[in-house]
Amino acid sequence: MAKIHITLKLFATLAPYLPENADHFQITDGTTVQALITDLQLPPDAVKLIFVNGRKHETTYVLKPGDRLGLFPPVGGG
Amino acid sequence: MTIGPERYDRNFDTLTRDQQATLNASRVAVLGLGGLGGGVSEMLARTGVGHLTLIDGDVFEPSNLNRQLFCTEAVLGISKALAAEKRIRAVNSQVSVTAVHQYADDDTLYDLIKDCDLVVDCLDSIPARFMLEHAAKKAQIPLVAGAIAGVTGQVTVIFPQDKGYELIYGKKEHLPAKGIESRTGNISYCALMISALQASECIKVLLDRGDILRNTLLIMELWSNSFEVMDLI
């Protein structure tokens, strides 16, 4: 399968899971957000919001070359 | 010393005289008077919002001292709502303050906020946020929401016809009580930055001015100096 590159950003408690080369992160073409979350071994329920290129998406989104993916945990404190 | 009209001198000409008068006639309810609610209440009072309803059933405790603006050593054990009222009166005696020392629940919330122009969500529980959103929609008033965890925070504005919290937290049937703040705690400067952004959204909504964070979510993360506005729809 062809390889593509995305920009990956993990916020707050997800940051320790950030891989090397997150700014130019290589994945297999056709990878979904859920597959990437699994590959990165993020804890279950750790991701609450998925943003691709500044817009909210679901885990089923298939990543495209050059996408800017941001994963954000649930935040509820006051 | 007589204060007179000088109180708002430095608001001009960022605000117009008419806008200042609009704020003076505005009614805002603040739910939760902790890290976010203290900052929001004080900033709205200083800016000149004329009527504040300050709601919290909690009392101050030592763990609040690291970030909650109205928490001093002298008020430990004292009602947050009553301490907030005292502080706001000391800052701006022209503001009419209604302090409500009770936890809002489904039965009481609507009555507490129905006469307000706007409600500010500074609560610390995700299910309680949905309860407040429900009451705000019933009252047909906008809600300005902020949430924090560690040095991360988010702000959005929900109008009555908007999907609102469901877009951020998912279906309310599958909600955790807390977010990551149960692990990260909450840091002073993050709380005050998010409360400042909430106060800014309040003023914009009340004046129908500027870009309002409607159907968008401002995300802030201070270790990386990240400030991003994301589209929720």
Side-chain angles (χ1 to χ4, degrees):
Chain A
M1 290 286 284
K3 299 294 182 184
I4 63 171
H5 293 89
I6 64 167
T7 301
L8 177 61
K9 188 159 185 174
L10 303 181
F11 287 88
T13 45
L14 303 178
Y17 297 88
L18 194 69
E20 287 186 19
N21 300 319
D23 288 342
H24 191 67
F25 189 61
Q26 180 174 286
I27 58 172
T28 302
D29 196 6
T31 299
T32 63
V33 172
Q34 181 57 59
L36 183 58
I37 288 172
T38 303
D39 286 350
L40 293 172
Q41 299 184 313
L42 300 182
D45 299 326
V47 176
K48 180 54 77 176
L49 285 167
I50 296 155
F51 294 107
V52 180
N53 304 326
R55 182 175 295 275
K56 181 177 186 280
H57 281 276
E58 303 300 322
T59 53
T60 50
Y61 177 84
V62 178
L63 291 157
K64 314 285 190 303
D67 275 349
R68 291 179 295 110
L69 173 65
L71 303 179
F72 200 73
V75 170
Chain B
M1 178 187 286
T2 305
I3 298 171
E6 285 179 38
R7 174 186 297 280
Y8 299 122
D9 268 3
R10 297 298 182 273
N11 284 356
F12 308 121
D13 288 334
T14 294
L15 302 180
T16 67
R17 305 277 165 179
D18 283 349
Q19 288 171 337
Q20 190 71 57
T22 298
L23 294 182
N24 187 50
S26 297
R27 299 175 176 275
V28 174
V30 181
L31 270 288
L33 297 167
L36 295 177
V40 169
S41 304
E42 175 142 346
M43 284 181 252
L44 293 182
R46 287 188 186 275
T47 309
V49 172
H51 307 267
L52 293 175
T53 300
L54 308 177
I55 305 167
D56 199 318
D58 205 359
V59 298
F60 281 119
E61 54 190 67
S63 65
N64 302 148
L65 283 164
N66 83 320
R67 70 197 183 284
Q68 299 191 12
L69 204 55
F70 297 155
C71 184
T72 64
E73 294 178 10
V75 298
L76 295 177
I78 302 290
S79 153
K80 293 186 179 184
L82 297 179
E85 178 184 26
K86 191 174 178 184
R87 169 68 179 174
I88 296 301
R89 288 194 195 289
V91 168
N92 190 344
S93 59
Q94 294 175 358
V95 175
S96 92
V97 182
T98 304
V100 182
H101 176 59
Q102 67 180 63
Y103 290 109
D105 57 35
D106 259 335
D107 295 330
T108 58
L109 202 43
Y110 170 73
D111 283 332
L112 287 171
I113 67 170
K114 66 178 167 44
D115 294 325
C116 292
D117 301 302
L118 172 71
V119 62
V120 195
D121 185 348
C122 300
L123 296 166
D124 63 357
S125 133
I126 295 172
R129 291 177 180 277
F130 275 81
M131 190 174 70
L132 178 56
E133 180 189 45
H134 177 74
K137 287 182 173 182
K138 187 178 172 187
Q140 288 290 298
I141 58 174
L143 179 151
V144 173
I148 50 173
V151 295
T152 299
Q154 62 190 37
V155 181
T156 191
V157 178
I158 301 170
F159 279 71
Q161 57 273 47
D162 297 343
K163 273 194 170 179
Y165 276 143
E166 186 180 313
L167 293 172
I168 296 170
Y169 295 115
K171 297 281 188 190
K172 69 176 180 182
E173 292 76 19
H174 308 105
L175 291 179
K178 300 281 185 184
I180 58 168
E181 65 278 3
S182 56
R183 290 163 47 203
T184 61
N186 286 303
I187 301 293
S188 166
Y189 45 85
C190 178
L192 287 173
M193 285 192 73
I194 292 296
S195 63
L197 290 166
Q198 283 182 281
S200 170
E201 291 305 298
C202 289
I203 299 302
K204 291 192 287 184
V205 170
L206 291 172
L207 300 179
D208 190 21
R209 180 177 169 181
D211 297 330
I212 292 167
L213 289 167
R214 185 177 180 184
N215 290 320
T216 57
L217 184 71
L218 185 149
I219 291 173
M220 180 187 88
E221 206 280 329
L222 293 173
W223 293 129
S224 59
N225 292 322
S226 295
F227 294 83
E228 300 192 40
V229 177
M230 307 292 197
D231 292 325
L232 290 171
I233 58 173

